[in-house]
Structures are given as C-alpha cells and as structure tokens.
C-alpha cells in the first residue's frame, strides 16, 4: 500500500497483551508521522473501533482473548478496505 509521505497516518492498536499495547504506544510516540486514534484488546471491540476511526493502519495482535487476529484482519478488510493491517505476535 502506498501512503502519502507528508500526511500523518492514523493508527489503531488491537492487542490482547497489555505489554504489547504499551510498547506499541511508546514506539508510535517516537514517530511524528503516526497518530494513534484508538486501541482495544478484543476482536469484537476492534471492529467497532475500525468502523468509527477508519484508520490508515491497524496493528493487530495475532493472539486476542476472543478470536484470532487473522479473523479480525479479514473483517477489517471488509469494513475498511483502505486500511492496511499489520499482524503482530509477541510469542
């Protein structure tokens, strides 16, 4: 996916692990190009978050408490086709 290099990119974090979400937040703060617009720990809440925020990028933990991160990515592609999804694992 090709993003304009001058515009800030909106990002959501979907992570089952509290530590992963904290780490991602800290990394995003270091780069002015990214703007965190929301985060959640469950797949069910992630879908509502993506619909509300329509982010440019979704950082998705593969291990969520209620469903697979891969399943969430499939849903994100349907709800927000312009959103790039990056699947992460801290395992």
């Amino acid at each position: 996916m090709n993003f304009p290099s001058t515009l800030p990119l909106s990002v959501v974090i979907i992570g089952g692990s509290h530590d992963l979400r904290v780490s991602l937040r800290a990394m995003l703060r270091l780069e002015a190009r990214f703007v965190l617009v929301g985060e959640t720990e469950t797949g069910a809440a992630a879908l509502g978050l993506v619909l509300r925020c329509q982010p440019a990028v979704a950082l998705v933990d593969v291990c969520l408490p209620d469903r697979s991160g891969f399943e969430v990515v499939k849903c994100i592609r349907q709800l927000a086709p312009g959103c790039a999804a990056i699947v992460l694992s801290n395992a």
Side-chain angles (χ1 to χ4, degrees), residues 14 40-50 52 64-67 72 79:
I14 304 161
T40 185
E41 68 178 308
T42 67
L47 302 179
L49 179 66
V50 168
R52 276 192 319 280
L64 300 170
D66 59 342
R67 62 183 72 178
V72 171
L79 296 172

Side-chain angles (χ1 to χ4, degrees), residues 2 4-5 8-9 14 17 24 28-29 33-34 41-43 51 54-56 60 68-70 72 78-79 83 87 90:
N2 192 9
S5 61
L9 296 176
I14 304 161
S17 161
L24 290 171
L28 289 172
R29 279 191 214 111
R33 183 164 182 218
F34 301 108
E41 68 178 308
T42 67
L51 276 174
Q54 293 292 309
V60 183
S68 160
F70 295 114
V72 171
Q78 293 174 347
L79 296 172
C83 178
V87 179
N90 64 349

Side-chain angles (χ1 to χ4, degrees), residues 1-88:
M1 191 163 266
N2 192 9
F3 296 108
S5 61
T6 57
L7 298 176
L9 296 176
S10 57
V11 179
V12 295
I13 297 172
I14 304 161
S17 161
H18 173 74
D19 292 340
L20 178 65
R21 292 192 313 273
V22 169
S23 296
L24 290 171
R25 255 187 269 134
M27 285 190 282
L28 289 172
R29 279 191 214 111
L30 296 175
E31 182 61 52
R33 183 164 182 218
F34 301 108
V35 177
L36 181 62
V37 295
E39 73 176 73
T40 185
E41 68 178 308
T42 67
L47 302 179
L49 179 66
V50 168
L51 276 174
R52 276 192 319 280
C53 297
Q54 293 292 309
V57 179
L59 301 175
V60 183
D61 188 354
V62 71
C63 295
L64 300 170
D66 59 342
R67 62 183 72 178
S68 160
F70 295 114
E71 182 182 331
V72 171
V73 169
K74 284 182 187 178
C75 293
I76 288 172
R77 291 188 187 276
Q78 293 174 347
L79 296 172
C83 178
I86 300 171
V87 179
L88 307 167

